[in-house]
Amino acid sequence: MVVLLLTLFMQRDTTYNLGDFRIPEEGIMRLELKGGFTFGHREELLRYDTTEVEDKRYLQNTLLNNIGLCWDLNVNGEQRFIHLGLYPDFMLYYQDYLRQYAVDSVQSWASFDSRAGGSGTFYGGWYIGESHWFLGGSSYFSEHGIMRYNYLTEDFVFNWSDPRVEVLLGGGLGKVRNVGAAARAWLFLEENAVASYENIDVLGNILAKEWKYQLKYWRYHKYFYQDLENLLLEKSIVERLSPYQAMRLREILDNTNQFDRLSGTRISLLGGLGYNVYGRDNDDLEPQINLSILGGYPISRRWQVSYSSYNTLYLPLYHYIEGYRPDLRSSIELYISHYIGDSWMLSSGLSGNLDANNFLDYTYSAVLNLVPVQIIWYLDNNIDLQVKPSYTIEIMKVWDNVIRTNRQFGLHANLTWRLR
Amino acid sequence: MLVFLFLLSQVDSVYRLTDFRLPQSGALEFWIEGGGGLNKTGSFDEDLGYFWIERFTNSQGGWIRLFISLDRQNERHDFSLYSRVDASGGLSNGEQRTYDMSLDSITYRMYRELHSYSGNSSSRTGEGVYLSEDWFYYPFKKVLFVGLDASFGADHDFYDDFSQRYHRYYNDSITSKSKRQLVSGYLGLYPQFGVGRLRPLEYPSRALAVAEILEDKPSFKNNPELVQKIAELYARRWEYPVKYWHPDWEFYEDMEELLAQYGVPPAEMGIRSWMRIIESSSVWDVWDYYYRGRPYGLRLSVSPTFQQSISRHFDKMTQTDYDSVSYAVEDLTKTYEFYFNSATVVLEGGYPLTKDLHLQGEMGFSPCLFYNYRWYKTESSTGYQQDTTIIDSLWKIKNYHAYYNTSLRYYIIYTLSITLKLSGGLEHYVDEDSLYHNSWGNGITLGTEYTYRNRFFTELSGGFNVHRSRITHEEPFWELSPKVRFSIGYRFF
């Protein structure tokens, strides 16, 4: 029944295949101010699998407030792909803990933390000739200052987090295109009853170049919308833009819901060095190998599947701790999204993490994070509201005979104002 | 300065804002606002060379508010309804240090030694609702009016206080903690009568902005009739959220139709013109709800005040002296109060010096003139009771207060303005011991407001207040308080 309804519902949605729109080079530039809160309730169980069963139980509530800027640029072309991102942020979080032992003993405490700092990423690649093979690289840095107040000890502590810099080089296979511009063009043209393959292609092409106007002009709207109108008139797509059409066009373009709609798959294998500073005196140069997969598939105009996986093997050069061996960190994400008009996006999915410290000793932590439904609502005037409940299961083997199980319910709400 | 402003007002656009008279107008708004502010107060006292007293207070707070308001004017009625729900919190701390001043017998220089110290910190969280209406009825369509101003408010506040005291001579150190909960409500009725009227010029001013944007269109002929019609359309903008789910879509379609009637063909408009018009259409003064819509004119009103209030006060206080509890009390206090004052006189006014520069303000005088009645009754769970009635007649004018607020706002562009505000007041009263209390204060604030595409607005302001108070023949007490405030808001419609 569900499949039948879905099939009927998707008939109009699949008139065109978004993956067929080949925009030579499309990009998105975003400057956003984000603020919100996350509430988390976490339960930890510590189990010893030795002679006596002695369970320990921890309860933890977290309220986190964050505000941050997010700037990123994504360009995908026939010949290259580039991603640049800068993320300065400020966070305030309050945590209270309740530790309950199997025997009658309860301990509780609270802490209040604030964190300010930022991180940045870059990755890019250049395709060899007209093939799907590319040479590429990536880099990453992060640094934060953390101020913590512990209610138990009544202490203020300030320290810089361990800064990290990575530079990786390598190559890979596959092309990923963003069909968000074509999806938005289709929506606008369909509302005006002038949707056709050619019209979507023409409008999608100029929408995909908005980032160039953003970089070139301070008040880029002035030039971008003028050129857009001229193009629509020149190609006789519309006779004129009425105030209603002008407002709808702007609403559809300002909404960030349909910005990231990927089509295709890209696999990259990179190797390089990461530099960490631990505390005041220790640092570490760490060779690493990274295998990543990024992709998506637009099932229809309203439905989208997105997936990604990042796997990094860390190979330490120095052995500060005896027996220190390579670490493996893996993550995977799979989401299916549904777009309702231009204002709503509902998505559902899961993500998983595997963090194997000294993994040859089989000490690991595996996390499965389920997001039953994530809602993004575009209010208007560049403002999105996002609500995301989640349920997380984490299983950790801390050392040989101790298994720790964590379960966490989280509710995250965020307001995003797109500044540019 | 006044001459300069007068000259400025002479060299404006071809039309004067004050020439446009709208038969009716209105505004309907629903918005959310959040913000925060910092305030610091400091003072120093020197008492005949024997004492030196330093006082400082710091306070910071934040709030989030939800507002709904409706304004409506026609030939005979000016009516406004305003409601607010808010939650707020704040932290404040203060300290006072008193030093003994002594003369050093060797160096012959004055030196100081700490005599006593007291410090306190307090946090407050609370929420409240507020509803008010203001109605003026002009039976002859101009000049004379009667009306009724009514307001209702209720608050629930929770205070957590901590204070510490040290005294050198007694060598004691006392700390006290208290938690207080306050629930209060009031209802006020203020019948009013007087002369004069304030007209909102926001609508014609936005209509002139549209005319300016359209000046480069070949078919556009600037004429006062079209500006008047656009102003009337803006004045009916409040009806659109009531009628339509997407009010903006319908509103600008109607504006397009109106422009077509006056010879501007839709094909000539273009997306740029519409974007500029939409961005300039901010006909709301959401950040400053006391002075909305660029008022023009003068209004003098006299209003007797009837106010009934009821409050519940719950205190839980613990005082500690060297880690031992010396005093602990819980107290529930109920207070009822009825207040009547025969007259408060208020003069309000506004004038557009140019279409981008607006002057407005008000001044009020509230003497306990003719007849003033105050009754209050307090019952405490500790057994304390008080039932007091105060009556002042014409022959016993002892208490009065007066205040003024003026602002000068300059619109740099349609959506960005800077405002200079001056405000102050004077208070005089005689207490039960026949001591005269006089105080006055003046403040200056500079602020800027920006409205982003007619919905999203921010305000940043800073300034300082100077306050002077004096009791009978004692030395006057001066205070200086710098402050800064930031708010951000979003208008739903």
Side-chain angles (χ1 to χ4, degrees):
Chain A
M1 185 65 185
V2 174
V3 174
L4 183 67
L5 277 173
L6 203 63
T7 313
L8 287 170
F9 193 58
M10 281 169 56
Q11 288 303 303
R12 209 167 139 228
D13 230 22
T14 49
T15 316
Y16 310 101
N17 183 358
L18 278 173
D20 290 344
F21 294 99
R22 303 277 161 158
I23 295 168
E25 185 170 74
E26 40 75 20
I28 290 164
M29 196 197 90
R30 278 179 291 207
L31 177 63
E32 293 170 345
L33 180 66
K34 292 184 174 193
F37 72 87
T38 303
F39 170 74
H41 175 75
R42 180 183 170 97
E43 187 180 333
E44 291 185 14
L45 275 175
L46 209 65
R47 178 156 297 164
Y48 296 87
D49 57 2
T50 50
T51 49
E52 290 177 34
V53 176
E54 189 188 2
D55 291 352
K56 286 181 181 176
R57 187 161 167 257
Y58 300 89
L59 295 175
Q60 178 185 340
N61 290 311
T62 307
L63 184 64
L64 183 148
N65 294 290
N66 65 292
I67 186 161
L69 275 173
C70 164
W71 178 83
D72 59 22
L73 172 68
N74 277 294
V75 178
N76 291 300
E78 291 296 327
Q79 209 63 53
R80 60 179 176 168
F81 62 90
I82 299 167
H83 165 87
L84 275 169
L86 287 172
Y87 314 105
D89 61 25
F90 178 70
M91 280 189 191
L92 282 174
Y93 38 107
Y94 172 80
Q95 291 172 302
D96 71 72
Y97 303 86
L98 181 73
R99 181 183 286 175
Q100 195 173 32
Y101 296 97
V103 285
D104 292 339
S105 170
V106 173
Q107 190 181 13
S108 67
W109 73 97
S111 76
F112 181 77
D113 299 347
S114 62
R115 191 185 85 161
S119 62
T121 62
F122 162 79
Y123 61 78
W126 191 268
Y127 288 95
I128 304 163
E130 291 181 2
S131 75
H132 277 241
W133 294 94
F134 65 86
L135 296 173
S138 78
S139 69
Y140 169 82
F141 72 88
S142 75
E143 174 62 35
H144 284 92
I146 297 169
M147 192 169 78
R148 167 169 292 186
Y149 178 73
N150 190 321
Y151 283 88
L152 188 69
T153 58
E154 297 192 346
D155 278 340
F156 266 115
V157 178
F158 177 81
N159 57 295
W160 292 103
S161 76
D162 306 329
R164 179 171 177 80
V165 179
E166 283 176 11
V167 178
L168 306 174
L169 292 171
L173 171 71
K175 279 188 182 175
V176 167
R177 287 173 296 108
N178 191 342
V179 293
R184 288 182 289 156
W186 184 358
L187 177 63
F188 174 74
L189 295 170
E190 191 179 80
E191 280 188 6
N192 290 279
V194 286
S196 69
Y197 184 89
E198 292 73 24
N199 289 350
I200 295 170
D201 197 47
V202 167
L203 185 56
N205 257 289
I206 190 165
L207 299 189
K209 289 183 179 61
E210 189 183 1
W211 68 280
K212 290 187 176 173
Y213 289 83
Q214 287 172 308
L215 287 177
K216 199 171 173 183
Y217 305 108
W218 178 246
R219 289 176 64 82
Y220 76 95
H221 292 106
K222 196 172 161 182
Y223 305 96
F224 174 67
Y225 282 95
Q226 190 67 66
D227 288 357
L228 200 155
E229 182 182 37
N230 290 342
L231 186 75
L232 290 174
L233 298 177
E234 188 188 307
K235 300 282 181 184
S236 304
I237 295 172
V238 293
E239 285 177 20
R240 65 180 185 88
L241 278 175
S242 70
Y244 160 75
Q245 287 166 320
M247 277 186 281
R248 281 300 293 144
L249 190 58
R250 195 141 186 209
E251 281 169 3
I252 291 169
L253 300 197
D254 285 343
N255 179 3
T256 55
N257 287 346
Q258 302 218 25
F259 268 22
D260 300 308
R261 300 201 54 180
L262 303 184
S263 173
T265 304
R266 186 168 65 218
I267 302 169
S268 61
L269 182 66
L270 305 171
L273 290 172
Y275 177 70
N276 288 305
V277 178
Y278 301 109
R280 191 173 291 176
D281 303 320
N282 297 330
D283 58 0
D284 185 6
L285 199 60
E286 203 173 35
Q288 62 195 66
I289 299 165
N290 174 275
L291 175 72
S292 62
I293 300 167
L294 176 73
Y297 181 69
I299 303 169
S300 68
R301 204 194 74 203
R302 292 189 177 89
W303 290 92
Q304 169 81 30
V305 173
S306 310
Y307 47 85
S308 66
S309 174
Y310 298 93
N311 309 279
T312 309
L313 187 66
Y314 297 91
L315 305 158
L317 279 181
Y318 309 119
H319 293 195
Y320 291 113
I321 307 164
E322 199 177 336
Y324 191 63
R325 295 186 179 88
D327 293 346
L328 175 71
R329 273 175 219 161
S330 293
S331 68
I332 186 166
E333 262 192 10
L334 179 64
Y335 275 88
I336 183 161
S337 309
H338 179 60
Y339 300 89
I340 304 171
D342 66 313
S343 296
W344 294 86
M345 187 189 92
L346 307 179
S347 68
S348 178
L350 56 91
S351 63
N353 277 18
L354 177 70
D355 195 348
N357 290 312
N358 302 321
F359 80 102
L360 295 178
D361 278 354
Y362 305 108
T363 310
Y364 60 84
S365 122
V367 180
L368 182 66
N369 184 38
L370 300 168
V371 178
V373 61
Q374 174 186 356
I375 301 167
I376 300 180
W377 178 29
Y378 173 64
L379 293 169
D380 70 357
N381 281 285
N382 294 355
I383 295 173
D384 288 318
L385 180 67
Q386 181 185 1
V387 179
K388 184 165 83 169
S390 63
Y391 184 69
T392 307
I393 304 165
E394 184 177 9
I395 298 169
M396 296 169 76
K397 185 172 180 182
V398 186
W399 53 82
D400 274 352
N401 61 343
V402 182
I403 298 284
R404 176 178 283 176
T405 311
N406 303 327
R407 291 168 201 280
Q408 175 161 331
F409 168 75
L411 180 67
H412 172 75
N414 214 73
L415 200 68
T416 303
W417 181 25
R418 189 180 166 220
L419 301 169
R420 200 162 169 81
Chain B
M1 180 70 180
L2 280 174
V3 173
F4 173 70
L5 291 176
F6 178 74
L7 285 173
L8 260 183
S9 70
Q10 303 304 306
V11 284
D12 209 348
S13 67
V14 285
Y15 306 120
R16 288 163 61 90
L17 274 174
T18 51
D19 292 341
F20 297 98
R21 304 234 166 197
L22 304 179
Q24 56 174 306
S25 62
L28 175 65
E29 299 169 39
F30 175 35
W31 78 98
I32 188 166
E33 185 190 34
L38 292 171
N39 195 358
K40 188 175 177 75
T41 304
S43 68
F44 303 97
D45 256 7
E46 189 176 4
D47 189 3
L48 302 173
Y50 294 111
F51 294 110
W52 173 262
I53 302 171
E54 292 176 359
R55 294 183 192 88
F56 287 103
T57 59
N58 295 298
S59 59
Q60 52 268 316
W63 67 87
I64 184 160
R65 291 172 183 155
L66 205 61
F67 301 83
I68 297 179
S69 72
L70 171 70
D71 278 326
R72 190 82 175 87
Q73 296 88 31
N74 61 23
E75 281 184 330
R76 284 200 163 89
H77 299 271
D78 283 2
F79 176 76
S80 70
L81 186 68
Y82 171 82
S83 65
R84 186 180 81 215
V85 178
D86 60 24
S88 61
L91 288 168
S92 65
N93 65 292
E95 60 180 50
Q96 175 171 319
R97 291 169 193 273
T98 306
Y99 296 93
D100 288 331
M101 303 298 286
S102 305
L103 189 69
D104 190 306
S105 56
I106 299 170
T107 61
Y108 292 103
R109 297 173 91 175
M110 293 294 284
Y111 71 95
R112 61 188 199 180
E113 194 172 3
L114 186 65
H115 171 88
S116 63
Y117 163 84
S118 65
N120 64 75
S121 65
S122 173
S123 69
R124 185 194 69 83
T125 50
E127 58 282 326
V129 292
Y130 181 79
L131 179 69
S132 73
E133 70 79 34
D134 204 1
W135 171 62
F136 301 88
Y137 175 64
Y138 292 84
F140 312 110
K141 297 186 185 177
K142 57 170 88 169
V143 187
L144 292 175
F145 70 84
V146 292
L148 179 70
D149 181 2
S151 62
F152 162 78
D155 274 305
H156 170 244
D157 291 300
F158 185 80
Y159 296 87
D160 196 344
D161 298 329
F162 171 80
S163 68
Q164 191 176 21
R165 202 180 73 197
Y166 161 78
H167 203 286
R168 185 160 67 94
Y169 291 156
Y170 305 118
N171 194 25
D172 65 352
S173 176
I174 296 172
T175 58
S176 61
K177 291 178 181 175
S178 70
K179 290 183 190 301
R180 288 179 289 147
Q181 202 169 166
L182 172 67
V183 180
S184 63
Y186 70 91
L187 175 67
L189 292 173
Y190 318 95
Q192 50 197 0
F193 59 91
V195 292
R197 195 164 192 180
L198 296 175
R199 289 193 290 119
L201 296 185
E202 194 65 48
Y203 313 103
S205 103
R206 297 299 164 181
L208 282 180
V210 173
E212 248 179 39
I213 291 164
L214 296 178
E215 263 170 8
D216 59 348
K217 304 288 168 206
S219 314
F220 176 72
K221 290 182 182 59
N222 207 344
N223 68 74
E225 197 183 324
L226 174 57
V227 176
Q228 171 81 17
K229 290 287 178 193
I230 296 172
E232 285 174 14
L233 187 66
Y234 272 129
R236 288 201 312 276
R237 172 66 179 74
W238 72 278
E239 295 170 7
Y240 286 76
V242 180
K243 288 181 187 167
Y244 306 108
W245 185 248
H246 291 287
D248 279 343
W249 296 357
E250 307 296 334
F251 178 75
Y252 292 103
E253 290 282 332
D254 287 356
M255 187 182 283
E256 184 183 44
E257 211 171 282
L258 179 68
L259 292 175
Q261 283 171 16
Y262 281 83
V264 183
E268 209 174 89
M269 285 296 291
I271 192 167
R272 273 290 299 139
S273 305
W274 281 119
M275 278 166 52
R276 289 180 66 196
I277 288 171
I278 291 165
E279 279 172 14
S280 73
S281 295
S282 174
V283 289
W284 331 95
D285 260 349
V286 286
W287 48 80
D288 195 355
Y289 41 87
Y290 294 112
Y291 307 107
R292 63 179 60 249
R294 305 196 207 196
Y296 165 60
L298 277 176
R299 184 168 65 198
L300 180 71
S301 55
V302 179
S303 54
T305 303
F306 300 89
Q307 189 163 307
Q308 170 76 55
S309 70
I310 181 168
S311 65
R312 291 278 186 280
H313 218 120
F314 180 72
D315 289 291
K316 183 177 180 180
M317 201 168 93
T318 314
Q319 190 166 297
T320 314
D321 192 353
Y322 287 116
D323 294 335
S324 61
V325 174
S326 61
Y327 178 70
V329 68
E330 287 186 16
D331 183 21
L332 176 67
T333 311
K334 300 172 191 172
T335 305
Y336 309 92
E337 183 177 6
F338 177 74
Y339 172 73
F340 170 73
N341 184 15
S342 54
T344 297
V345 183
V346 179
L347 177 67
E348 299 156 281
Y351 186 74
L353 296 167
T354 72
K355 67 182 175 48
D356 299 322
L357 190 64
H358 199 87
L359 178 70
Q360 64 193 63
E362 70 168 296
M363 53 201 296
F365 180 57
S366 182
C368 295
L369 194 63
F370 304 123
Y371 191 75
N372 180 53
Y373 176 87
R374 181 187 291 269
W375 167 77
Y376 61 91
K377 184 179 178 186
T378 303
E379 290 173 6
S380 165
S381 61
T382 57
Y384 173 77
Q385 288 201 351
Q386 190 182 9
D387 192 339
T388 309
T389 305
I390 299 170
I391 298 173
D392 292 332
S393 68
L394 178 64
W395 316 111
K396 211 175 169 186
I397 304 168
K398 293 191 295 190
N399 306 335
Y400 56 85
H401 78 264
Y403 68 92
Y404 73 91
N405 289 306
T406 55
S407 77
L408 187 65
R409 173 172 290 178
Y410 178 61
Y411 291 83
I412 300 166
I413 52 175
Y414 309 121
T415 50
L416 176 67
S417 65
I418 51 173
T419 309
L420 180 72
K421 286 181 187 169
L422 298 173
S423 60
L426 170 70
E427 188 167 7
H428 178 93
Y429 71 94
V430 183
D431 66 15
E432 292 165 356
D433 300 325
S434 299
L435 292 173
Y436 286 84
H437 293 250
N438 271 311
S439 67
W440 59 257
N442 288 294
I444 183 166
T445 308
L446 188 65
T448 178
E449 300 94 25
Y450 178 61
T451 307
Y452 177 74
R453 282 173 61 188
N454 210 358
R455 283 290 172 94
F456 196 70
F457 59 89
T458 59
E459 182 207 358
L460 175 67
S461 64
F464 63 87
N465 287 323
V466 179
H467 188 255
R468 177 191 184 270
S469 57
R470 185 177 188 180
I471 302 171
T472 315
H473 301 299
E474 289 183 10
E475 280 293 304
F477 175 72
W478 291 84
E479 257 182 359
L480 182 69
S481 312
K483 60 185 177 184
V484 63
R485 181 179 183 273
F486 174 72
S487 71
I488 193 163
Y490 181 77
R491 188 173 63 81
F492 296 98
F493 56 75

